[in-house]
Short mmCIF file of all heavy atoms in Angstrom, two decimals:
data_model
loop_
_atom_site.label_atom_id
_atom_site.label_comp_id
_atom_site.label_asym_id
_atom_site.label_seq_id
_atom_site.Cartn_x
_atom_site.Cartn_y
_atom_site.Cartn_z
N HIS A 465 31.94 -5.79 16.40
CA HIS A 465 31.67 -6.16 17.79
C HIS A 465 32.89 -5.81 18.65
O HIS A 465 34.03 -5.79 18.18
CB HIS A 465 31.41 -7.66 17.91
CG HIS A 465 30.41 -8.19 16.93
ND1 HIS A 465 29.05 -8.23 17.19
CD2 HIS A 465 30.57 -8.72 15.68
CE1 HIS A 465 28.42 -8.75 16.14
NE2 HIS A 465 29.31 -9.06 15.22
N GLY A 466 32.62 -5.55 19.93
CA GLY A 466 33.71 -5.37 20.88
C GLY A 466 34.49 -4.09 20.69
O GLY A 466 35.70 -4.05 20.95
N ALA A 467 33.83 -3.02 20.28
CA ALA A 467 34.49 -1.73 20.13
C ALA A 467 34.40 -0.96 21.45
O ALA A 467 33.60 -1.27 22.33
CB ALA A 467 33.86 -0.93 19.01
N THR A 468 35.21 0.08 21.55
CA THR A 468 35.20 0.88 22.78
C THR A 468 34.00 1.80 22.85
O THR A 468 33.63 2.27 23.93
CB THR A 468 36.49 1.72 22.87
OG1 THR A 468 36.63 2.49 21.67
CG2 THR A 468 37.71 0.82 23.05
N SER A 469 33.39 2.11 21.71
CA SER A 469 32.19 2.95 21.68
C SER A 469 31.43 2.66 20.38
O SER A 469 31.98 2.08 19.44
CB SER A 469 32.55 4.43 21.73
OG SER A 469 33.20 4.84 20.54
N GLU A 470 30.16 3.08 20.34
CA GLU A 470 29.38 2.88 19.12
C GLU A 470 29.97 3.68 17.96
O GLU A 470 30.00 3.21 16.82
CB GLU A 470 27.92 3.30 19.35
CG GLU A 470 27.01 3.01 18.17
CD GLU A 470 25.56 3.35 18.43
OE1 GLU A 470 25.25 3.81 19.55
OE2 GLU A 470 24.74 3.17 17.52
N ASP A 471 30.46 4.89 18.25
CA ASP A 471 31.09 5.68 17.20
C ASP A 471 32.32 4.98 16.64
O ASP A 471 32.57 5.02 15.42
CB ASP A 471 31.48 7.06 17.73
CG ASP A 471 30.29 7.98 17.93
OD1 ASP A 471 29.20 7.66 17.40
OD2 ASP A 471 30.43 9.00 18.64
N ALA A 472 33.08 4.35 17.50
CA ALA A 472 34.26 3.61 17.04
C ALA A 472 33.85 2.44 16.16
O ALA A 472 34.46 2.19 15.11
CB ALA A 472 35.07 3.12 18.24
N ALA A 473 32.83 1.71 16.59
CA ALA A 473 32.34 0.58 15.80
C ALA A 473 31.84 1.05 14.44
O ALA A 473 32.11 0.42 13.41
CB ALA A 473 31.23 -0.15 16.56
N LEU A 474 31.11 2.17 14.43
CA LEU A 474 30.57 2.69 13.18
C LEU A 474 31.69 3.12 12.24
O LEU A 474 31.63 2.87 11.03
CB LEU A 474 29.64 3.86 13.49
CG LEU A 474 28.81 4.40 12.34
CD1 LEU A 474 27.97 3.30 11.69
CD2 LEU A 474 27.91 5.53 12.84
N ALA A 475 32.72 3.76 12.76
CA ALA A 475 33.85 4.18 11.93
C ALA A 475 34.53 2.98 11.30
O ALA A 475 34.91 3.01 10.12
CB ALA A 475 34.85 4.98 12.77
N CYS A 476 34.67 1.90 12.04
CA CYS A 476 35.29 0.69 11.51
C CYS A 476 34.43 0.05 10.43
O CYS A 476 34.92 -0.37 9.38
CB CYS A 476 35.54 -0.30 12.64
SG CYS A 476 36.81 0.22 13.82
N GLY A 477 33.12 -0.02 10.69
CA GLY A 477 32.21 -0.60 9.71
C GLY A 477 32.19 0.20 8.42
O GLY A 477 32.20 -0.36 7.32
N ARG A 478 32.19 1.51 8.54
CA ARG A 478 32.17 2.35 7.35
C ARG A 478 33.47 2.25 6.56
O ARG A 478 33.47 2.32 5.32
CB ARG A 478 31.89 3.80 7.75
CG ARG A 478 30.44 4.03 8.12
CD ARG A 478 30.18 5.46 8.55
NE ARG A 478 28.74 5.70 8.70
CZ ARG A 478 28.21 6.78 9.27
NH1 ARG A 478 29.00 7.71 9.77
NH2 ARG A 478 26.90 6.92 9.35
N ALA A 479 34.58 2.10 7.24
CA ALA A 479 35.86 1.96 6.54
C ALA A 479 35.87 0.71 5.67
O ALA A 479 36.35 0.73 4.53
CB ALA A 479 37.01 1.93 7.56
N ILE A 480 35.34 -0.37 6.19
CA ILE A 480 35.29 -1.61 5.42
C ILE A 480 34.29 -1.49 4.27
O ILE A 480 34.57 -1.90 3.14
CB ILE A 480 34.92 -2.80 6.34
CG1 ILE A 480 36.00 -2.99 7.40
CG2 ILE A 480 34.73 -4.08 5.52
CD1 ILE A 480 35.61 -3.94 8.52
N ALA A 481 33.13 -0.89 4.55
CA ALA A 481 32.10 -0.74 3.52
C ALA A 481 32.57 0.14 2.37
O ALA A 481 32.07 0.02 1.25
CB ALA A 481 30.83 -0.16 4.14
N ALA A 482 33.52 1.03 2.64
CA ALA A 482 34.01 1.96 1.61
C ALA A 482 35.09 1.34 0.73
O ALA A 482 35.51 1.97 -0.24
CB ALA A 482 34.54 3.23 2.27
N SER A 483 35.53 0.14 1.03
CA SER A 483 36.64 -0.48 0.28
C SER A 483 36.16 -1.09 -1.03
O SER A 483 35.47 -2.11 -1.04
CB SER A 483 37.30 -1.56 1.13
OG SER A 483 38.21 -2.30 0.35
N ASN A 484 36.53 -0.48 -2.13
CA ASN A 484 36.19 -1.05 -3.44
C ASN A 484 36.90 -2.38 -3.67
O ASN A 484 36.37 -3.27 -4.34
CB ASN A 484 36.56 -0.06 -4.55
CG ASN A 484 35.60 1.12 -4.63
OD1 ASN A 484 34.48 1.04 -4.14
ND2 ASN A 484 36.03 2.20 -5.22
N LEU A 485 38.10 -2.53 -3.12
CA LEU A 485 38.81 -3.80 -3.25
C LEU A 485 38.01 -4.93 -2.59
O LEU A 485 37.85 -6.01 -3.17
CB LEU A 485 40.20 -3.70 -2.61
CG LEU A 485 41.27 -2.95 -3.39
CD1 LEU A 485 42.53 -2.83 -2.55
CD2 LEU A 485 41.57 -3.67 -4.71
N PHE A 486 37.54 -4.68 -1.39
CA PHE A 486 36.75 -5.69 -0.69
C PHE A 486 35.47 -5.99 -1.44
O PHE A 486 35.07 -7.15 -1.61
CB PHE A 486 36.46 -5.19 0.73
CG PHE A 486 35.38 -5.97 1.45
CD1 PHE A 486 35.57 -7.31 1.74
CD2 PHE A 486 34.21 -5.34 1.83
CE1 PHE A 486 34.57 -8.02 2.41
CE2 PHE A 486 33.22 -6.05 2.48
CZ PHE A 486 33.40 -7.39 2.77
N LYS A 487 34.79 -4.95 -1.92
CA LYS A 487 33.52 -5.13 -2.61
C LYS A 487 33.70 -5.90 -3.91
O LYS A 487 32.86 -6.72 -4.29
CB LYS A 487 32.88 -3.76 -2.86
CG LYS A 487 32.37 -3.10 -1.58
CD LYS A 487 32.39 -1.58 -1.65
CE LYS A 487 31.33 -1.02 -2.53
NZ LYS A 487 30.01 -1.01 -1.86
N CYS A 488 34.82 -5.67 -4.60
CA CYS A 488 35.11 -6.43 -5.82
C CYS A 488 35.39 -7.89 -5.49
O CYS A 488 34.99 -8.80 -6.23
CB CYS A 488 36.30 -5.83 -6.56
SG CYS A 488 35.93 -4.27 -7.41
#
Side-chain angles (χ1 to χ4, degrees):
H465 310 271
T468 54
S469 69
E470 185 177 0
D471 287 345
L474 189 55
C476 292
R478 285 179 171 168
I480 297 168
S483 170
N484 286 339
L485 283 174
F486 166 63
K487 290 151 73 78
C488 287

